[in-house]
């Protein structure tokens, strides 16, 4: 008789948990996955996927305007139905949710639609009261939006609720200036909302290259987004007319119809029973793991946002794959966190890989920076005064590219391919030796001065 009910019990069926469970099952492990909400996690249900679809939807606002300059007879006023887009996005989310469920069951993993809590190194208790045992337990419970506890904070929403709104708010205030704030500021602005973005400092997208984020700030302001910096939330009050009045330090109160918090995400470790099992959690609530994603309890591992290493879907997927191959296929490997490309799906989008100029200057003896500051051909004909900016950061000693940063239409699509070159350790000379593909925006990559 088997010593445990399962070889692997995964808590959380997001991107990382699904990958780890599916791969472990394909390696022959008996696997169960507990999920209290919906299979797919943040990325599929209330993050990357629905957000990207909203970004596509929002971009039509500009495309329809630009189309006139390209000879199309587009009426001055085009009606937009939020309900149509929202419901179509939900349909797509439902479809992917079913695909994820099938992926698990087709590989023999059992899905348990219940909350689960760790009660020992090999024991998990389900919400229904049943206790099951497993040789290994994997914590893959992701993260949840952080909401500053100011008076009236419960009147605000987070990105979780943004997808479910009844209508596009006429006026929205977004707190935070990171990924989610800038992406949703762009989305709502294109849908016609009056958008105010407030942040406690005067830095947007802190980890991106300063020139690239300055360009986004400048373009976003030109598009009508109002930025208020050094503004700490004091509170939200409901007014007599049913609106929300937001008070903050350093600025006048602002009256809006919706307040959205985008002030970071915190690991989902509450009520998981980790302390009972002896799993260490850091001061931010993240599960502490080693390079193998192992906690300080030998039978318990953790992957993805709950470990707060790099809150990105492809990283959670890689951590899940590495865990399953290492533990269930005798194929030990670790995730490489160097030169991970990332993007902000703002309007226009940003993409980057490797060191920013300031990081390179802090780290290396000598640094060379090459740039291309250009107006995409399509923007010229459309009379759209938006310039793209590409930046290549090289090690001054050997010409090796240590960072590549872009803002402009399709920047994430272009950067993914260029990131291969950065990861492969190529030099500026390799880009110079490559003939430009004309006319394209991507050709600026091989024409930087
Ligand atoms: P970010 O970490 O990107 O930005 C958080 C913002 O909130 C910053 O402007 C920060 O200010 C501010 N902030 C942080 N804590 C507080 C606080 N206590 N009170 C007031 N303001 C605060 O977080 P997001 O919520 O935008 O996104 C969470 C994570 O999800 C990202 O870090 C990213 O890893 C991931 N994500 C990735 C996406 C992508 O790949 N395209 C899209 C969306 C999310 P300051 O910096 O000035 O201190």
């Amino acid at each position: 008789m088997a010593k445990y009910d399962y070889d692997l019990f995964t808590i959380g069926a997001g991107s990382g948990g699904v990958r780890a469970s599916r791969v472990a099952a394909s390696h022959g492990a008996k696997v169960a996955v507990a999920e209290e909400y919906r299979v797919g996690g943040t990325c599929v249900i209330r993050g990357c996927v629905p957000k990207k679809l909203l970004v596509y939807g929002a971009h039509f606002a500009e495309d329809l305007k630009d189309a006139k300059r390209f000879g199309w007879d587009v009426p001055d006023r085009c009606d937009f139905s939020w309900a149509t887009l929202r419901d179509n996005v939900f349909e797509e989310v439902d479809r992917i949710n079913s695909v994820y469920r099938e992926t698990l069951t087709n590989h023999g993993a059992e899905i348990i639609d219940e909350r689960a809590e760790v009660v020992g190194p090999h024991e998990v208790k389900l919400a229904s009261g049943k206790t099951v045992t497993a040789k290994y337990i994997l914590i893959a419970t992701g993260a949840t939006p952080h909401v500053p506890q100011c008076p009236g904070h419960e009147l605000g929403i987070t990105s979780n609720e943004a997808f479910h709104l009844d209508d596009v708010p006429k006026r929205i205030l977004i707190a935070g200036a990171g990924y989610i704030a800038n992406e949703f500021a762009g989305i709502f602005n294109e849908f016609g909302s009056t958008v105010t973005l407030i942040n406690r400092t005067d830095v947007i997208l802190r980890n991106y290259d300063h020139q690239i984020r300055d360009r986004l700030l400048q373009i976003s302001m030109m598009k009508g987004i109002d930025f208020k910096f050094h503004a700490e939330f004091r509170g939200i009050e409901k007014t007599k007319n049913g609106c929300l009045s937001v008070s903050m330090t350093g600025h006048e109160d602002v009256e809006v119809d919706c307040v959205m918090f985008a002030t970071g995400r915190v690991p989902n470790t509450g009520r998981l029973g980790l302390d009972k099992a002896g799993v260490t959690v850091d001061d931010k609530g993240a599960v502490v793991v080693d390079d193998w994603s192992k906690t300080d309890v030998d039978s318990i591992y953790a992957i993805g946002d709950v470990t707060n290493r790099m809150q990105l879907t492809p990283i959670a997927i890689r951590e899940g794959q590495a865990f399953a191959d290492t533990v269930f296929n005798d194929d030990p490997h670790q995730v490489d966190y160097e030169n991970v490309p990332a993007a902000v799906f703002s309007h226009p989008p940003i993409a980057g890989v490797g060191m920013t100029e300031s990081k390179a200057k802090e780290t290396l003896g000598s640094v060379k920076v090459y740039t291309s500051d250009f107006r995409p051909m399509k923007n010229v004909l459309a009379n759209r005064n938006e310039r793209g900016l590409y930046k290549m950061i090289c090690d001054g000693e050997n010409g090796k590219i240590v960072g590549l940063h872009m803002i402009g239409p399709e920047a994430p699509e272009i950067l993914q391919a260029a990131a291969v070159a950065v990861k492969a350790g190529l030099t500026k000379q390799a880009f110079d030796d490559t003939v430009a593909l004309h006319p394209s925006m991507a050709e600026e990559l091989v024409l930087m001065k």
Side-chain angles (χ1 to χ4, degrees):
M1 222 174 96
K3 195 169 166 201
Y4 301 106
D5 299 323
Y6 299 98
D7 298 312
L8 172 66
F9 194 99
T10 303
I11 306 181
S15 302
V18 168
R19 172 61 67 95
S21 304
R22 166 172 78 70
V23 174
S26 72
H27 291 326
K30 187 178 178 201
V31 180
V33 195
E35 170 57 57
E36 65 176 335
Y37 184 50
R38 296 185 74 188
V39 171
T42 299
C43 176
V44 171
I45 308 295
R46 48 183 121 66
C48 327
V49 171
K51 181 274 314 283
K52 183 76 188 268
L53 292 170
L54 293 189
V55 169
Y56 280 130
H59 207 271
F60 279 101
E62 293 184 2
D63 291 340
L64 285 164
K65 270 190 211 138
D66 294 352
K68 288 172 102 168
R69 286 281 305 163
F70 287 84
W72 291 92
D73 185 11
V74 180
D76 284 337
R77 207 192 106 104
C78 293
D79 287 332
F80 164 69
S81 163
W82 161 256
T84 305
L85 176 61
R86 181 198 58 202
D87 295 351
N88 289 345
V89 168
F90 282 150
E91 242 175 64
E92 178 56 8
V93 167
D94 287 347
R95 189 189 66 80
I96 306 179
N97 167 247
S98 313
V99 172
Y100 266 55
R101 290 189 78 91
E102 274 166 34
T103 303
L104 285 171
T105 47
N106 289 347
H107 283 82
E110 182 187 340
I111 302 171
I112 299 174
D113 292 296
E114 278 182 57
R115 188 181 165 80
E117 217 182 286
V118 181
V119 284
H122 297 280
E123 271 184 337
V124 168
K125 191 169 176 200
L126 302 175
S128 55
K130 189 177 165 193
T131 300
V132 295
T133 59
K135 187 167 183 200
Y136 294 101
I137 296 169
L138 179 66
I139 313 293
T141 47
T144 199
H146 159 75
V147 175
Q149 296 300 295
C150 60
H153 66 85
E154 67 286 350
L155 297 168
I157 63 165
T158 67
S159 54
N160 289 352
E161 292 77 40
F163 300 103
H164 298 264
L165 291 172
D166 292 333
D167 221 331
V168 172
K170 283 202 172 58
R171 299 163 300 175
I172 183 167
L173 180 140
I174 302 178
Y179 280 86
I180 297 179
N182 281 285
E183 292 182 341
F184 275 93
I187 290 169
F188 284 120
N189 181 57
E190 298 291 329
F191 287 150
S193 303
T194 299
V195 180
T196 305
L197 192 148
I198 74 165
N199 199 39
R200 60 182 179 181
T201 65
D202 60 357
V203 178
I204 69 166
L205 294 162
R206 184 171 293 288
N207 295 324
Y208 280 82
D209 189 89
H210 68 283
Q211 272 178 294
I212 301 288
R213 56 184 203 226
D214 281 355
R215 180 63 55 91
L216 177 66
L217 182 59
Q218 176 216 327
I219 296 176
S220 299
M221 286 165 68
M222 200 170 72
K223 286 181 196 282
I225 298 172
D226 182 21
F227 287 79
K228 294 192 189 303
F229 291 127
H230 299 296
E232 295 234 13
F233 240 89
R234 275 209 191 113
I236 313 176
E237 264 177 40
K238 200 155 203 152
T239 61
K240 280 191 198 119
N241 55 5
C243 302
L244 300 175
S245 175
V246 179
S247 54
M248 64 198 92
T249 56
H251 300 267
E252 302 271 289
D253 293 359
V254 178
E255 191 179 279
V256 289
D257 306 293
C258 182
V259 174
M260 177 173 149
F261 291 102
T263 40
R265 294 174 60 83
V266 287
N268 264 328
T269 42
R271 296 190 301 118
L272 259 187
L274 296 176
D275 46 340
K276 283 181 227 149
V279 172
T280 306
V281 168
D282 71 14
D283 57 351
K284 294 201 168 73
V287 179
V288 177
V289 289
D290 65 12
D291 292 343
W292 300 98
S293 295
K294 185 152 72 79
T295 69
D296 42 18
V297 178
D298 282 348
S299 56
I300 304 182
Y301 287 68
I303 55 162
D305 289 359
V306 76
T307 64
N308 204 18
R309 284 176 281 186
M310 232 181 228
Q311 292 188 345
L312 294 173
T313 297
I315 290 294
I317 291 173
R318 281 188 175 233
E319 288 168 354
Q321 179 84 41
F323 157 76
D325 289 343
T326 302
V327 175
F328 296 103
N329 201 35
D330 198 18
D331 171 18
H333 58 97
Q334 295 177 350
V335 176
D336 176 2
Y337 297 95
E338 281 287 305
N339 287 327
V340 172
V344 186
F345 294 95
S346 41
H347 283 77
I350 286 179
V353 62
M355 288 190 236
T356 59
E357 181 180 345
S358 48
K359 182 78 192 165
K361 284 183 171 159
E362 263 170 51
T363 316
L364 305 170
S366 122
V367 173
K368 277 202 165 152
V369 178
Y370 303 89
T371 57
S372 176
D373 189 335
F374 63 101
R375 197 164 165 211
M377 195 187 238
K378 187 171 168 233
N379 285 357
V380 176
L381 196 76
N383 275 344
R384 184 169 287 285
N385 190 20
E386 258 179 65
R387 298 181 70 82
L389 177 64
Y390 292 1
K391 258 184 104 167
M392 184 181 276
I393 322 292
C394 296
D395 185 333
E397 299 287 311
N398 52 23
K400 198 172 138 184
I401 306 163
V402 295
L404 196 52
H405 308 280
M406 310 165 67
I407 178 167
E410 310 300 350
E413 304 291 343
I414 298 168
L415 184 92
Q416 177 69 82
V420 177
V422 179
K423 186 77 187 160
L426 298 191
T427 58
K428 166 79 164 75
Q429 189 62 47
F431 276 66
D432 290 345
D433 292 345
T434 306
V435 175
L437 196 160
H438 185 71
S440 67
M441 290 178 287
E443 71 180 310
E444 299 299 330
L445 282 173
V446 298
L447 301 172
M448 283 195 231
K449 298 255 181 324

